[in-house]
Amino acid sequence: LGSLPQSASIFVYNVPEAIILLPSQNYYQYIIAHEHSQVGKDALSYLARSVPDYVVVDATLFEQKSELFAHYVQSDNVGRYLVLRRK
């Protein structure tokens, strides 16, 4: 993840542990704390508008929620994380 451009904006989808691996503080975040508690829900609109340059997401969640990432294509696979880039 450190190889992403330092100037890039990144959306971290429910993988908060990945934040320490990012090249900068230029990121958005969404976390499902438990079924009734979510952090960063407002930031999901950025995905719909394809604002972030990249998305980091767990591969399993990507498969389950693929419609959220319609504006992105897979760029890299880092362990259990997928890195998506804007189309």
Side-chain angles (χ1 to χ4, degrees), residues 10-13 28 30 42-52 54-56 65 67-72 84:
I10 302 165
F11 194 102
V12 180
Y13 187 91
Y28 307 94
Y30 172 74
D42 294 341
L44 290 175
S45 67
Y46 294 123
L47 285 179
R49 293 181 289 146
S50 65
V51 171
Y54 294 90
V55 177
V56 179
K65 306 278 188 178
E67 70 281 353
L68 288 175
F69 310 107
H71 299 288
Y72 295 86
L84 312 175

Side-chain angles (χ1 to χ4, degrees), residues 1-71:
L1 298 176
S3 65
L4 293 172
Q6 208 164 2
S7 61
S9 61
I10 302 165
F11 194 102
V12 180
Y13 187 91
N14 204 41
V15 286
E17 68 278 9
I19 290 171
I20 62 169
L21 303 173
L22 300 179
S24 75
Q25 298 291 312
N26 188 11
Y27 66 87
Y28 307 94
Q29 179 173 259
Y30 172 74
I31 301 170
I32 303 167
H34 56 78
E35 66 180 274
H36 301 293
S37 179
Q38 303 164 7
V39 177
K41 190 172 183 177
D42 294 341
L44 290 175
S45 67
Y46 294 123
L47 285 179
R49 293 181 289 146
S50 65
V51 171
D53 299 311
Y54 294 90
V55 177
V56 179
V57 61
D58 181 274
T60 303
L61 276 175
F62 173 72
E63 292 175 14
Q64 294 171 355
K65 306 278 188 178
S66 60
E67 70 281 353
L68 288 175
F69 310 107
H71 299 288

